[in-house]
Amino acid sequence: MPQRRELIPGAIIDVPAVEPGLYSPLRAYWDILLKRRWTVLTTLFAVFALVTIFSFKMRPVYKATARVEIDAETPQLQSINDLYQNPLSDETFLETQVRVLESDNLVWQTIQQLKLAEDPAFASGALPVPGGTPQASGTEGALIREFRKHLSVALALNTRMVEVSFESTNPDLAARVVNTLVNGYVEYNFRMKYDATRQASGWMEQQLDELKAKVEKSQQALVDYEREHAIVNVSDKQNVVEQKLEDLSRDLTSAQNDLSQKQSLYGLVQSNKAQVATLAQNELLQRLEEKYADLKSQYVDALGQYGPNFPKVLRLHDQVSQMQALIDQERERTVERIHSDYSAALGRVRLLSDSVAREKIQVGDLNQLLIQHNILKRDFDTNQQLYDSLLQHLKDATVSAGLRATNIHIIDTARPPTIPVRPQKILNLSLGFMVGLLLGVGLAFVREGLDDSIKNAEDVERLIGVPSLAIIPEAGSVRPGPYSVVVKGNGSKATRNGSVALAVLKDSGSALAEAYRSLRTSVLFSTAPRPPQTILVASAQPNEGKTCTSLNLALSLAQRGGRVLIIDSDMRKPSVAQALGLRNEKGLSGILTCAHNLEDGLQQVEGVANLWVLAAGPHSPNPAELLGSPGMEDLLGELRQRFDHVVFDSPPVLMVTDATVLSTLADGVVLVVEGGVTAQGALLRAHRILMQAGARILGVVVNKVETQHGYYYGPYSYGFSSYGRDRDGGSEARAVAAAASASRRGQTIS
């Protein structure tokens, strides 16, 4: 295994190096929980006890539930087919119905109907109700609030089903409340629709009366107008006049067309009379012209054959002349007839034009007369139509008021429950255990996070940069060693403190005594090659264990065989003489004030041949001045001549200046801190004060460390154990002597 070399003043010791990863964060968390186990257990017990008491003292609460299906609002029924319409439900509509079920009106109606104000199972949580009947609005509001505390209305997911529940210590009451509330809601829903229908009917009746008056008024105006203008049947008269105008217009158009044809024909025959027969299509004239042409042909032939005077020629000539006369006469008569037809057509057109003009005037007069009539007629028809429609709707509403389909269906009525919903004792106890455990663990980590105390040697070395001389375990956290001496006592705190103060003497085989012997070894090597002669044991604050450390250090030094003196320099609260069972009448204060000499103040400890004690002596009003006086320096010089080691038990550094004064006279200072108690700031300030005074700090003792689980040591937690040493510490003394010799030779101890 790789090794790490740490330099202690005067000696080099090889210690095993910790491989990375051996001390995982998980182990650190486990150590914190072990350290704060009483916080976790206390919190767990408190929460679990509260939950247990609450669960077993709580009255059983029963929950009754009814289920209601709410369809979408059904439209007004117009026919039987409307009963089978099922429009999709609207989420807003369903949420509104849930709020209606929770409304104050329904709640108060249920309270009054069941007389819940007089029922102790319900009204116990509400305001007191004088005489059982609430009168004040404040009492009514309290009853409603109490009701709502136990009421639950929930819409089932993805359904139109609403679950209405009520909780009570009385199962029958819970069922009655739910059923009454649901029935009240159904009645409210029906009554709301019926009232709305009746209200609409009343409004329609009022509007119907107004429309009836309008119809009568418009009808009277129409009749008066027809009577005034002698209008009997407007439609027939208007049809006759219009038909006559239409016929005349059609005849006029025909006459005009005929006139155009005859005028054209007359113009043609006037300009081309030779073509009259063809233009006029006169068959007689056409035959005459054909006869004339034939006679003319015969006359020409005879004339050419016989000459002009031939009788046949003359006869033919006469016949041609006569035929020509007939043709001319017939042409004149045809032209005259065409002219007569033209004149007749022209006259007919003029007559028809005049008739059409007169008929148009008559139609215009009639239309002008009927404008107001039509206005009055339309007003009457409109009012009549509105009246008929509204009358029909009123009849439909009256019929549908009783036939309106309900959209509320009670699926399950509430039944008195047999099993309470609260308390669920097993669940509550399980949750209480889990919550208590989690809360305890959380509080443990919070306390650990807020704790800024010195916890291990690494904290000391990191904070003030001085070595850790020893780690002294808490007396109650170590098991007795195989050679431990059990000190009989009543188990009181004073007895335990006394055992710790004399652990090296009375229980030399224990891990506690071994820790103090380790402290002795570290102190002796702290100023190698020559160990310190005068040692000041101090602490930042009171009750950190400096007196126990001073006594056990002195005892362990005395077990080496040298002459050792322990001085109780805490003249404000002396405790060394009391711990050893010695007198305190004569001591350091009397020597420094010349009340007696050194020989009178020295007392030898029974059972330890080479250990003496100089008690603090009577109380002095100015201990700091005495400790800093020239007499103290003279006394210390004399003690250096008579003793191998002098151990000072001093007051706390931060409380008074006595320890600071003594630190300048001692060869070294041993600072004692209480593991898990001494704040880092207190240690820093004490170290700063001593360094400013010029003291030589040998190191720090971490005292009262819980060692059973090793969470003050981190990766260097080796624990404490007795390992078969002789009770008088002889082997330890020999080991120290050998180590000192090796150190002087410059050797390395591994």
Side-chain angles (χ1 to χ4, degrees):
M1 177 183 295
Q3 294 184 339
R4 185 185 65 183
R5 303 178 62 84
E6 293 185 351
L7 180 63
I8 299 177
I12 298 177
I13 301 177
D14 293 338
V15 299
V18 179
E19 295 182 3
L22 291 181
Y23 192 71
S24 64
L26 186 61
R27 174 61 186 273
Y29 297 148
W30 176 249
D31 289 343
I32 292 173
L33 292 178
L34 290 178
K35 173 187 173 184
R36 304 290 181 181
R37 61 188 180 277
W38 290 113
T39 299
V40 177
L41 294 176
T42 302
T43 305
L44 174 61
F45 176 77
V47 174
F48 189 78
L50 289 176
V51 172
T52 302
I53 294 172
F54 174 78
S55 298
F56 282 92
K57 290 183 69 67
M58 179 181 177
R59 294 182 60 186
V61 177
Y62 298 88
K63 182 177 182 180
T65 302
R67 293 173 180 82
V68 180
E69 180 184 2
I70 302 178
D71 292 332
E73 188 68 29
T74 306
Q76 184 174 354
L77 295 177
Q78 302 293 341
S79 64
I80 294 298
N81 293 331
D82 294 340
L83 287 171
Y84 303 100
Q85 293 181 357
N86 186 23
L88 295 177
S89 298
D90 181 59
E91 293 183 2
T92 304
F93 170 75
L94 293 177
E95 290 293 339
T96 303
Q97 298 309 303
V98 170
R99 296 297 179 266
V100 170
L101 278 165
E102 298 174 341
S103 63
D104 291 349
N105 289 335
L106 284 180
V107 169
W108 182 241
Q109 178 182 340
T110 304
I111 293 174
Q112 288 182 318
Q113 187 172 350
L114 296 178
K115 298 182 180 179
L116 295 181
E118 303 173 8
D119 194 332
F122 170 77
S124 58
L127 296 175
V129 182
T133 304
Q135 299 293 337
S137 59
T139 303
E140 178 181 338
L143 289 172
I144 292 175
R145 288 192 296 272
E146 181 67 19
F147 189 98
R148 283 183 172 173
K149 288 180 183 178
H150 307 286
L151 177 65
S152 173
V153 182
L155 178 63
L157 186 64
N158 298 327
T159 67
R160 298 191 299 273
M161 193 81 68
V162 175
E163 296 182 351
V164 184
S165 304
F166 190 83
E167 296 179 354
S168 175
T169 56
N170 187 341
D172 295 331
L173 176 63
R176 285 190 288 114
V177 167
V178 172
N179 290 330
T180 304
L181 180 65
V182 170
N183 292 332
Y185 167 68
V186 174
E187 179 64 24
Y188 160 79
N189 186 270
F190 179 79
R191 187 174 61 252
M192 179 186 66
K193 295 177 181 178
Y194 182 80
D195 292 344
T197 302
R198 295 305 305 166
Q199 184 179 3
S201 299
W203 178 83
M204 285 191 290
E205 289 176 356
Q206 181 181 358
Q207 295 296 317
L208 194 63
D209 293 338
E210 295 179 0
L211 281 176
K212 183 178 180 181
K214 289 183 178 180
V215 169
E216 293 176 351
K217 184 178 179 181
S218 59
Q219 187 177 19
Q220 186 62 41
L222 180 61
V223 171
D224 293 341
Y225 185 80
E226 289 178 347
R227 184 182 297 114
E228 179 182 357
H229 295 86
I231 299 175
V232 178
N233 193 335
V234 177
S235 298
D236 293 344
K237 184 176 181 180
Q238 185 177 12
N239 291 336
V240 170
V241 173
E242 291 178 352
Q243 185 64 37
K244 186 177 180 181
L245 177 61
E246 182 179 356
D247 293 341
L248 289 174
S249 298
R250 185 168 54 253
D251 292 343
L252 176 60
T253 302
S254 178
Q256 288 176 343
N257 292 334
D258 185 57
L259 175 62
S260 298
Q261 292 177 359
K262 291 180 177 182
Q263 185 179 5
S264 175
L265 180 60
Y266 178 70
L268 288 175
V269 297
Q270 281 281 55
S271 59
N272 191 7
K273 291 183 178 183
Q275 300 295 327
V276 171
T278 302
L279 294 175
Q281 296 181 355
N282 191 330
E283 294 180 358
L284 177 60
L285 185 59
Q286 289 179 358
R287 287 196 298 271
L288 292 175
E289 289 180 349
E290 291 177 358
K291 187 72 178 285
Y292 174 79
D294 183 54
L295 291 175
K296 185 72 174 176
S297 176
Q298 293 179 11
Y299 172 72
V300 172
D301 291 339
L303 182 61
Q305 184 177 2
Y306 299 109
N309 294 320
F310 189 74
K312 184 179 181 179
V313 173
L314 291 176
R315 187 179 62 250
L316 288 173
H317 179 267
D318 291 338
Q319 290 178 356
V320 169
S321 297
Q322 291 176 1
M323 187 59 64
Q324 182 65 46
L326 290 173
I327 289 173
D328 292 339
Q329 184 180 359
E330 186 62 29
R331 284 178 178 172
E332 290 296 332
R333 191 168 47 252
T334 300
V335 172
E336 184 64 27
R337 181 176 55 82
I338 293 174
H339 179 265
S340 296
D341 292 341
Y342 166 70
S343 298
L346 181 60
R348 186 168 177 268
V349 168
R350 289 175 180 173
L351 290 175
L352 288 174
S353 297
D354 294 341
S355 298
V356 168
R358 287 193 302 268
E359 205 59 37
K360 286 183 178 180
I361 293 173
Q362 186 177 0
V363 170
D365 293 341
L366 180 59
N367 290 336
Q368 188 67 29
L369 180 65
L370 295 180
I371 288 176
Q372 185 63 29
H373 181 272
N374 292 334
I375 293 175
L376 295 175
K377 186 68 170 59
R378 281 195 300 271
D379 187 28
F380 168 73
D381 292 340
T382 302
N383 292 335
Q384 184 67 38
Q385 186 178 6
L386 289 175
Y387 177 81
D388 294 340
S389 177
L390 190 58
L391 181 61
Q392 184 62 39
H393 281 293
L394 178 60
K395 292 179 180 180
D396 293 340
T398 304
V399 173
S400 64
L403 298 178
R404 193 176 185 88
T406 180
N407 62 326
I408 308 298
H409 309 285
I410 300 177
I411 305 302
D412 292 326
T413 57
R415 295 179 176 84
T418 57
I419 301 176
V421 293
R422 291 196 307 273
Q424 299 181 13
K425 296 179 181 178
I426 297 178
L427 178 61
N428 290 350
L429 294 181
S430 301
L431 291 177
F433 182 84
M434 294 300 298
V435 171
L437 182 61
L438 293 176
L439 185 60
V441 171
L443 288 177
F445 282 102
V446 169
R447 289 191 60 187
E448 184 68 21
L450 296 176
D451 187 7
D452 65 340
S453 62
I454 301 296
K455 299 178 181 64
N456 49 44
E458 283 69 24
D459 291 345
V460 173
E461 295 173 359
R462 183 184 67 255
L463 194 64
I464 60 177
V466 298
S468 175
L469 299 176
I471 297 176
I472 310 300
E474 176 70 32
S477 66
V478 295
R479 297 185 178 93
Y483 304 104
S484 298
V485 178
V486 179
V487 181
K488 296 183 179 180
N490 56 6
S492 64
K493 183 177 180 180
T495 302
R496 292 193 298 271
N497 290 342
S499 300
V500 174
L502 303 177
V504 174
L505 178 63
K506 294 186 177 183
D507 196 7
S508 61
S510 66
L512 189 62
E514 179 63 26
Y516 283 118
R517 282 192 285 270
S518 298
L519 171 62
R520 177 191 65 188
T521 303
S522 299
V523 170
L524 292 177
F525 282 109
S526 62
T527 57
R530 182 177 180 181
Q533 186 178 8
T534 57
I535 304 167
L536 176 67
V537 180
S539 64
Q541 297 173 335
N543 302 321
E544 293 184 332
K546 58 179 178 54
T547 300
C548 293
T549 303
S550 302
L551 287 168
N552 284 285
L553 177 61
L555 287 170
S556 60
L557 288 172
Q559 288 179 353
R560 295 179 62 244
R563 295 168 58 85
V564 180
L565 172 66
I566 179 171
I567 300 177
D568 191 352
S569 58
D570 188 354
M571 291 183 285
R572 304 172 191 270
K573 293 180 65 177
S575 57
V576 173
Q578 180 183 1
L580 295 173
L582 302 177
R583 300 184 307 277
N584 194 40
E585 288 81 8
K586 296 180 181 181
L588 181 61
S589 61
I591 295 175
L592 295 179
T593 57
C594 300
H596 50 80
N597 56 27
L598 177 62
E599 295 297 335
D600 295 335
L602 291 176
Q603 302 179 66
Q604 190 171 9
V605 179
E606 294 183 4
V608 184
N610 52 350
L611 177 61
W612 282 264
V613 176
L614 181 59
H619 177 70
S620 174
N622 52 354
E625 285 75 5
L626 291 178
L627 295 176
S629 64
M632 184 63 190
E633 296 182 2
D634 296 338
L635 176 62
L636 187 57
E638 183 178 352
L639 293 176
R640 288 178 181 273
Q641 299 297 325
R642 298 180 58 176
F643 296 96
D644 296 325
H645 297 286
V646 179
V647 179
F648 289 91
D649 180 32
S650 71
V653 176
L654 299 182
M655 305 296 294
V656 292
T657 61
D658 301 5
T660 307
V661 173
L662 287 174
S663 66
T664 60
L665 304 176
D667 294 339
V669 178
V670 175
L671 272 176
V672 179
V673 297
E674 183 177 354
V677 175
T678 303
Q680 297 181 8
L683 177 61
L684 278 171
R685 182 165 177 78
H687 177 264
R688 187 181 302 111
I689 290 174
L690 294 175
M691 294 301 293
Q692 289 176 353
R696 182 179 183 182
I697 300 178
L698 302 179
V700 178
V701 176
V702 184
N703 193 28
K704 301 181 184 180
V705 174
E706 177 69 44
T707 63
Q708 185 172 358
H709 301 286
Y711 39 68
Y712 277 112
Y713 298 92
Y716 308 108
S717 176
Y718 302 111
F720 290 88
S721 63
S722 300
Y723 188 71
R725 57 181 62 82
D726 52 335
R727 293 178 57 187
D728 59 357
S731 61
E732 175 68 20
R734 288 191 295 272
V736 171
S741 176
S743 176
R744 285 193 296 270
R745 292 194 304 269
Q747 297 177 354
T748 299
I749 301 174
S750 58

